[in-house]
Structures are given as structure tokens and as C-alpha cells.
Amino acid sequence: MVEDLAIVIVDDMQYSRAVLRTTLNRIGYTDVRMAASASEALVMMSDRRAEVVLADWVMPEMNGLELTAEIRRKDEQRSHYTGIILFTGKEGDEAMMEAFRHGVDDYLTKPVNQIQLAARLFAAGRVARLQNKVLETSAALSATNHQLEFLSTTDPLTGLPNRRAMDKRMEAAIMETCSRGGALCLGILDVDHFKRINDLHGHDVGDEVLILIARRMRLALRPMDMVARMGGEEFALVAHFHKSEKCDPAIFERVRQTISDEPIPIPEGGITVTASIGVCCYQHGEEMPTIQTMTRLADQNLYRAKSEGRNRVVG
């Protein structure tokens, strides 16, 4: 008994195809499809993949080596591996080496010996399944790593980047400003009297307020700017300008206005929310700051905004 394989026979001779299928059925393989040309086989395999292809070397239009190259190209696109065995009347080491150089897994001379075919087919099928298992595992690991990276850099409540992601963006923006010019502005935003919202309306409403504020901030900034949640009701706004003369901290004034202009709807009606923002800017030609330095200066300006009455931008 053998483990069944998805096999495609490719031969322009109908009699040869029929003999091969009969032989394979006798060995125990039942999932056998037949193609009269390489192009027909490729269409067949695009509908349903094969684990092993048995192909004649010499065929009109596209020979076995050209078919092998096309299968390998499509396999690479689809993260799949197909075992390929060529049949030929050619004898000698030179023909065998040519086949292997073109990516063939195995090579049999005609007339095909049934025992040799069974052994080679078993080996090719085992290799194909092992390779595909490796590819599946690798794809699953890659997807898991991407998901873990997303989770590690994303705030679960608002969907915004978190502090870790902000630090990475700031580091890249500082280096770009230092080496290529331009300017970088960091704003630290704090929602005014947020504890009062939680106390009066509950934490569920407080969460909804933060989610809506996050959306408003995102819409108020340019697509290339970054909004990140630092924690609690505090957010970071990162804006990079390619030319120093276009550096305009007033971009954060637009964020403040967007938050406060319209009440945030809640089941009880609406809440008017304001925010205070402290800003720190770095321009090309100045001493290169650290992320910690810029954050500290922006925090100091945020405390000034709070002490001067809140609902303002200080930079």
C-alpha cells in the first residue's frame, strides 16, 4: 500500500499516457490526471496543484525542461513545491546532469521499469510533502511574527501606534532630519480633565471618548504624520517637514481645534472635550537631540499649557 499523491502525467503520446496511468493505478495511485502538452498541464495545475509531475522530456511547443522551469517559477509565486520526474530515451550521465541542472528531481530512461518508477515516485512525493510542510510552517511563523509585531506596536483600544512604535518613528525621523535636512516637531497632547469624564460617565464612556479623539487627531494631521497613544489620556503627535521653512508647529493648533470644536456624542448627549499640547521642534543644523530630550521638552511645554489655563498649544 502507498500513500496517494496528486500526480499529473504530461506526454504528447496518448498511448504512453495511458500506459503510465495504468502502471500508477496498479501501484496504488488513484489521483492521476493526464495532459497532452505542457501548456495543458500548467492550466490543469493552476486549477489544482500537483504534488508530483511525470513528464516526457521531448514534447512539441514546450519540452520537459521548459515545463520544469515554468513549474518552478509558479511554485515560487505560490510558495509551493512540486516534485518533477522526467522520462526520456536519452542515455548517459550528460543528459542526467542536464536534467538536474534545470531543477528536475529525478530522471528515468525509457522503457520505464515499474519497480524503479514506484521507488522514484515514492521518494519524489515524500520530498514534495516535506518541502510543502516546511513552506506552510514558515508561512505560519511569518504570519505569527507579523501579528506579534503588530500587537507589540499597537494600542489595543484606539488602534493607534503605541509608545514603542512612536520611539521607532522618532528615531528614524531624527536621523533623517540630521542627515538630509528639514525639521521635526513632536507634540505631547493630554486630554483636559479626563478623570472627570471617567468619574461622571464611567470608564466605558471614557474609552469611547479616547477612541473618537484618536480619530479626530488622525484626520486633523497630514497622512505622513503620526499619532501615537503614550498611555492613559496622553498622545504623541509626530510631524516631519522636509524643508525647515515649512516647519509649522501651528499644525498642532489645528488638532486642538478639531478636538474641541464639536462635542463628542455619548448616550447622555454630548461631551465638550479640550486638550493641551506641548511642542518641541528640532531643525537641521542644530545639535542632534535624543528621543528622551525631545519628549522631556515637549512634556515641559505641556505642563506650561496646563498651568496657563489648558486648551492651548505651547511650544
Side-chain angles (χ1 to χ4, degrees), residues 247-310:
C247 177
D248 185 8
I251 190 173
F252 300 133
E253 178 63 27
R254 185 165 69 245
V255 174
R256 186 199 63 76
Q257 290 177 351
T258 302
I259 291 173
S260 61
D261 279 354
E262 293 290 335
I264 291 180
I266 63 169
E268 293 81 2
I271 302 177
T272 298
V273 177
T274 63
S276 302
I277 306 174
V279 180
C280 172
C281 293
Y282 160 58
Q283 293 194 5
H284 177 71
E286 298 175 349
E287 182 180 353
M288 186 174 72
T290 64
I291 298 170
Q292 292 75 18
T293 300
M294 291 193 70
T295 303
R296 185 175 66 254
L297 292 173
D299 270 332
Q300 290 173 0
N301 286 329
L302 172 61
Y303 295 145
R304 280 182 54 201
K306 294 281 190 181
S307 64
E308 292 174 9
R310 295 183 169 85

Side-chain angles (χ1 to χ4, degrees), residues 157-158 191 194 197-213 229 232-233 235 264 266 271:
L157 176 65
T158 63
V191 181
F194 185 72
I197 297 174
N198 279 334
D199 291 343
L200 290 175
H201 304 283
H203 289 277
D204 288 343
V205 170
D207 287 347
E208 287 300 317
V209 168
L210 291 176
I211 291 169
L212 288 172
I213 287 175
R229 188 181 180 199
E233 65 273 21
F235 298 85
I264 291 180
I266 63 169
I271 302 177

Side-chain angles (χ1 to χ4, degrees), residues 96 114 131 166 174 194 197 204 240 262 303:
M96 179 178 65
Q114 180 175 319
Q131 290 275 28
M166 189 276 286
I174 289 172
F194 185 72
I197 297 174
D204 288 343
H240 182 262
E262 293 290 335
Y303 295 145

Side-chain angles (χ1 to χ4, degrees), residues 39-52:
S39 57
E40 183 182 344
L42 291 171
V43 171
M44 189 178 292
M45 291 164 66
S46 67
D47 293 334
R48 180 164 68 89
R49 295 173 180 176
E51 292 175 286
V52 179

Side-chain angles (χ1 to χ4, degrees), residues 35 61 111 141 214 241 248-249 263 275:
E61 298 181 8
L141 286 172
F241 302 89
D248 185 8

Side-chain angles (χ1 to χ4, degrees), residues 11-290:
D11 197 316
D12 59 311
M13 301 294 293
Q14 183 178 0
Y15 176 75
S16 297
R17 297 196 303 272
V19 169
L20 263 178
R21 181 168 66 177
T22 301
T23 301
L24 295 178
N25 291 158
R26 190 181 299 120
I27 294 171
Y29 296 107
T30 59
D31 187 359
V32 180
R33 292 171 287 168
M34 298 193 299
S37 66
S39 57
E40 183 182 344
L42 291 171
V43 171
M44 189 178 292
M45 291 164 66
S46 67
D47 293 334
R48 180 164 68 89
R49 295 173 180 176
E51 292 175 286
V52 179
V53 170
L54 306 174
D56 192 19
W57 184 323
V58 180
M59 293 184 291
E61 298 181 8
M62 184 186 298
N63 64 35
L65 296 183
E66 293 168 332
L67 172 61
T68 297
E70 188 63 19
I71 290 173
R72 292 288 178 247
R73 187 182 67 81
K74 290 182 179 296
D75 276 355
E76 184 176 0
Q77 293 174 348
R78 297 178 294 186
S79 294
H80 180 72
Y81 188 86
T82 307
I84 301 174
I85 300 175
L86 281 192
F87 301 112
T88 182
K90 299 181 180 182
E91 296 183 356
D93 293 342
E94 186 176 339
M96 179 178 65
M97 292 305 299
E98 183 182 4
F100 287 138
R101 281 195 300 269
H102 281 79
V104 172
D105 290 285
D106 216 332
Y107 171 94
L108 286 170
T109 55
K110 296 179 179 179
V112 177
N113 178 283
Q114 180 175 319
I115 295 176
Q116 286 189 6
L117 174 61
R120 305 290 180 84
L121 189 54
F122 176 82
R126 182 174 59 183
V127 169
R129 285 188 169 173
L130 286 172
Q131 290 275 28
N132 285 319
K133 188 67 176 177
V134 169
L135 289 170
E136 289 171 9
T137 302
S138 177
L141 286 172
S142 178
T144 300
N145 287 336
H146 283 303
Q147 180 66 11
L148 289 173
E149 175 66 17
F150 174 79
L151 292 174
S152 70
T153 57
T154 304
D155 173 56
L157 176 65
T158 63
L160 293 175
N162 61 15
R163 176 66 182 266
R164 180 170 179 261
M166 189 276 286
D167 284 347
K168 290 175 66 176
R169 175 66 172 272
M170 283 288 295
E171 182 178 9
I174 289 172
M175 293 300 298
E176 182 176 358
T177 303
C178 179
S179 60
R180 298 186 178 182
L184 171 66
C185 286
L186 168 66
I188 302 295
L189 179 148
D190 188 82
V191 181
D192 295 329
H193 303 299
F194 185 72
K195 183 178 184 300
R196 186 184 302 170
I197 297 174
N198 279 334
D199 291 343
L200 290 175
H201 304 283
H203 289 277
D204 288 343
V205 170
D207 287 347
E208 287 300 317
V209 168
L210 291 176
I211 291 169
L212 288 172
I213 287 175
R215 291 176 186 167
R216 289 185 180 184
M217 286 190 291
R218 185 63 272 170
L219 291 172
L221 290 172
R222 303 171 302 172
M224 71 283 290
D225 297 330
M226 182 186 210
V227 182
R229 188 181 180 199
M230 303 285 279
E233 65 273 21
E234 192 170 83
F235 298 85
L237 313 171
V238 181
H240 182 262
F241 302 89
H242 292 290
K243 295 182 178 180
S244 297
E245 59 270 21
K246 292 189 176 182
C247 177
D248 185 8
I251 190 173
F252 300 133
E253 178 63 27
R254 185 165 69 245
V255 174
R256 186 199 63 76
Q257 290 177 351
T258 302
I259 291 173
S260 61
D261 279 354
E262 293 290 335
I264 291 180
I266 63 169
E268 293 81 2
I271 302 177
T272 298
V273 177
T274 63
S276 302
I277 306 174
V279 180
C280 172
C281 293
Y282 160 58
Q283 293 194 5
H284 177 71
E286 298 175 349
E287 182 180 353
M288 186 174 72
T290 64

